[in-house]
Amino acid sequence: MKEIDCRGLSYLQIIREVKKYFNSIGEGEAVVVVNNELGRSNVIRYAAHKGYKIDIEDEKNRFLIKMEKRGCLESEDEEEIFSILITRDKIGEGNDDLGITLMSEYFEALNEYDKLPKEILFLNSGVKLFKRDSKAIEDIRMLYKKGVKLLISDTSLDYYKLTEQITFGEIASMYDMVVAMKKAKKLIKL
């Protein structure tokens, strides 16, 4: 049985390693080894989400999660189609540096998620995420390369004088934004 040793890795690196292995096989088993509770809970949540059978063995400072992939059929459920509305360049109130870091981590985590949004709409200061020095720009570009449609408000770009910095995505009018929001099955607002 394959052992995936994820001790000392961040939660995103753990999920990346687990996904890499299970995406490379049709069916099979593996034991994932982590050394913290956050890693343990993320692996369990991932396995449950994918429909894998799991068996957990907890030891002091070491968690073994046996995962088994058998006949797990994944289908695109209408309920899982979603869009995201980004209205700020940071998450939360308070410390701007923390909010910018959280937004960057959000896009990094979104890239690792199994179901990507159909589209992401950027309004107001959310368009600042397209600045060349943005912490999130490369992860946003990766989503675009994966086929996520990016709509960027023309009015917001003009206001922040960022139109010239747009190298990917679609500059859109407010009408385009309204149409996209109306068509969205689910709309998540950040």
Side-chain angles (χ1 to χ4, degrees), residues 40-58:
R40 175 188 178 275
S41 63
N42 282 323
V43 170
I44 291 169
R45 193 170 28 256
Y46 174 79
H49 171 75
K50 298 298 282 181
Y52 300 165
K53 181 180 174 192
I54 56 174
D55 187 33
I56 305 153
E57 191 176 313
D58 293 349

Side-chain angles (χ1 to χ4, degrees), residues 138-168:
E138 289 309 315
D139 286 307
I140 294 170
R141 186 185 321 274
M142 183 86 61
L143 289 166
Y144 177 72
K145 287 180 179 177
K146 291 178 179 178
V148 177
K149 185 175 181 179
L150 306 177
L151 297 179
I152 311 154
S153 165
D154 59 351
T155 305
S156 301
L157 286 171
D158 287 344
Y159 180 83
Y160 289 108
K161 298 176 181 24
L162 294 172
T163 304
E164 298 301 316
Q165 292 197 32
I166 301 304
T167 59
F168 61 95

Side-chain angles (χ1 to χ4, degrees), residues 86-90 96 100 103 107 121-138 140 151-153 156-163 165-166 168:
I86 306 288
T87 60
R88 301 185 66 213
D89 61 334
K90 56 186 125 324
D96 286 348
I100 289 168
M103 185 64 84
F107 281 106
L121 293 72
F122 296 87
L123 292 169
N124 208 331
S125 67
V127 301
K128 290 181 181 180
L129 295 167
F130 285 86
K131 289 171 66 176
R132 288 183 186 99
D133 63 348
S134 165
K135 286 184 172 183
I137 190 72
E138 289 309 315
I140 294 170
L151 297 179
I152 311 154
S153 165
S156 301
L157 286 171
D158 287 344
Y159 180 83
Y160 289 108
K161 298 176 181 24
L162 294 172
T163 304
Q165 292 197 32
I166 301 304
F168 61 95

Side-chain angles (χ1 to χ4, degrees), residues 65-99:
I65 303 115
K66 179 180 175 188
M67 299 172 58
E68 184 177 348
K69 177 182 179 181
R70 299 272 184 251
C72 300
L73 299 175
E74 298 174 29
S75 64
E76 183 80 18
D77 186 358
E78 282 289 313
E79 296 280 322
E80 295 183 24
I81 298 173
F82 65 101
S83 297
I84 301 172
L85 173 62
I86 306 288
T87 60
R88 301 185 66 213
D89 61 334
K90 56 186 125 324
I91 293 179
E93 301 295 326
N95 186 302
D96 286 348
D97 289 336
L98 174 59

